[in-house]
Amino acid sequence: MTDKKTKPIGFFDSGVGGLSVLARFKNVLPNEKTIYFGDTLHLPYGNKSKKELIGYAKNILNFMEQKEVKAVVIACNTSSAQAYDSIKNEFEFPIYPIIQSCASGVSKLGIQRVGIFATEATVNSHKYADELIKQNPNIKVKEIPSKNWVGIVENNIPNIDEAKANIKYEIEEMMKFNPDKIILGCTHYPYLMNEFVKYAPKEIFIDPAEIFVEYIKNNLEKKGLLNNEPSNSQTQEEFYVTSSPDAFLKNAKIFYEIKNAPALVSN
Ligand code: DGL
């Protein structure tokens, strides 16, 4: 019987955004085998209904179950906000949702005014605000849905005038709230950092991936699931998408270098 510790860990997102989490994870835990699933057929998740998002998450988790993963990382804020609560008890393996896993780490930063940029579906759920207020009832939160940003990242067009103007407008709106920190509440957004820093200081932005990966590492360790056998993780990774493998391969580079085109699966 294969040791559970050496089984892969699943990651999923609507597209390349979750690779910002995977990249950090690989740096911290290079021994782990990984399976990344980009649900590109249903991208963007940000304008989908709760029912649709629960359906996508279930299908992906069933796929991961067949792959015999030891855990799944929801490297997508939208799915964490809208689907996690409905599916969390349906699977035997641990499931790590980005928002809920990061809230206590963020609140430990001792900040009082928090801005959150996220997709429409994440903002509508108010999951981030709820989780932060649970940790610190005095915290003041402002959530702004940045509807165009996932498209800007997936099409790799941060330099066109329309994209620049939109980013400028949204950041300036957020700065009126006078936040101590601004959470990038969508795993696609760290790619836009070069634009963000034109309108706000770099230190104000939080990419929750760092806190998230630390949380996953500690939790896997507690559960005795960390893989201690040294291995070359680059040769131990698989990628799957639900449409356009070539576009994914090309665009993935913004976060993580993938060697081979991902496999196309119907899900
Ligand atoms: N990257 C995802 C998130 O963190 C989803 C973005 C989308 O597809 O709208 O929310």
Side-chain angles (χ1 to χ4, degrees):
M1 200 182 85
T2 325
D3 185 357
K4 204 167 179 188
K5 289 179 180 178
T6 62
K7 302 247 181 210
I9 298 185
F11 286 72
F12 78 88
D13 181 39
S14 58
V16 297
L19 294 172
S20 62
V21 177
L22 183 81
R24 209 172 273 271
F25 180 88
K26 290 284 191 177
N27 275 338
V28 177
L29 296 169
N31 294 339
E32 300 296 335
K33 293 177 197 156
T34 55
I35 296 178
Y36 186 92
F37 192 108
D39 193 9
T40 43
L41 184 65
H42 302 119
L43 180 98
Y45 273 4
N47 60 13
K48 301 298 186 301
S49 68
K50 188 175 186 71
K51 194 170 163 222
E52 286 171 310
L53 291 162
I54 292 170
Y56 304 152
K58 269 193 191 165
N59 286 342
I60 296 168
L61 288 160
N62 283 328
F63 175 89
M64 293 293 183
E65 192 171 49
Q66 279 163 23
K67 291 274 173 194
E68 297 185 24
V69 294
K70 64 180 175 186
V72 169
V73 173
I74 308 185
C76 173
N77 292 265
T78 310
S79 187
S80 300
Q82 294 282 359
Y84 172 70
D85 283 344
S86 308
I87 47 92
K88 64 183 176 195
N89 296 324
E90 289 188 23
F91 297 86
E92 302 265 301
F93 43 79
I95 301 172
Y96 300 108
I98 184 163
I99 298 176
Q100 296 86 332
S101 310
C102 290
S104 91
V106 171
S107 69
K108 281 192 196 114
L109 300 173
I111 44 186
Q112 295 304 318
R113 299 179 71 78
V114 183
I116 297 165
F117 283 120
T119 67
E120 231 178 325
T122 301
V123 168
N124 289 342
S125 76
H126 301 296
K127 196 70 181 172
Y128 245 122
D130 290 351
E131 292 289 326
L132 290 173
I133 291 165
K134 220 191 273 173
Q135 303 289 332
N136 172 5
N138 298 321
I139 215 159
K140 298 278 176 293
V141 179
K142 176 158 179 83
E143 301 164 286
I144 296 186
S146 24
K147 296 183 191 167
N148 302 319
W149 293 1
V150 170
I152 295 172
V153 175
E154 286 285 337
N155 296 301
N156 203 356
I157 48 165
N159 294 321
I160 68 167
D161 289 347
E162 221 180 320
K164 282 175 184 278
N166 178 263
I167 292 168
K168 178 176 189 290
Y169 175 79
E170 305 274 26
I171 301 279
E172 285 176 352
E173 278 303 296
M174 180 62 88
M175 292 310 280
K176 288 181 193 161
F177 169 68
N178 198 18
D180 298 324
K181 291 282 178 193
I182 299 172
I183 297 178
L184 302 180
C186 169
T187 52
H188 281 75
Y189 296 173
Y191 183 57
L192 302 174
M193 191 58 103
N194 287 345
E195 286 303 309
F196 297 157
V197 296
K198 291 180 184 165
Y199 315 108
K202 188 162 197 269
E203 313 73 63
I204 207 167
F205 295 99
I206 299 179
D207 172 2
E210 199 175 324
I211 294 170
F212 191 28
V213 168
E214 219 32 55
Y215 176 90
I216 298 164
K217 182 184 159 204
N218 291 337
N219 199 275
L220 287 173
E221 196 163 26
K222 229 186 269 171
K223 291 185 157 61
L225 286 176
L226 277 186
N227 187 8
N228 306 315
E229 285 174 26
S231 63
N232 176 2
S233 67
Q234 286 266 312
T235 60
Q236 304 214 53
E237 51 191 23
E238 295 173 22
F239 294 90
Y240 297 90
V241 290
T242 45
S243 80
S244 320
D246 292 334
F248 185 92
L249 177 66
K250 195 165 147 243
N251 209 15
K253 282 188 189 61
I254 63 177
F255 290 123
Y256 191 72
E257 197 71 42
I258 296 177
K259 301 271 176 291
N260 304 307
L264 182 64
V265 287
S266 54
N267 214 34

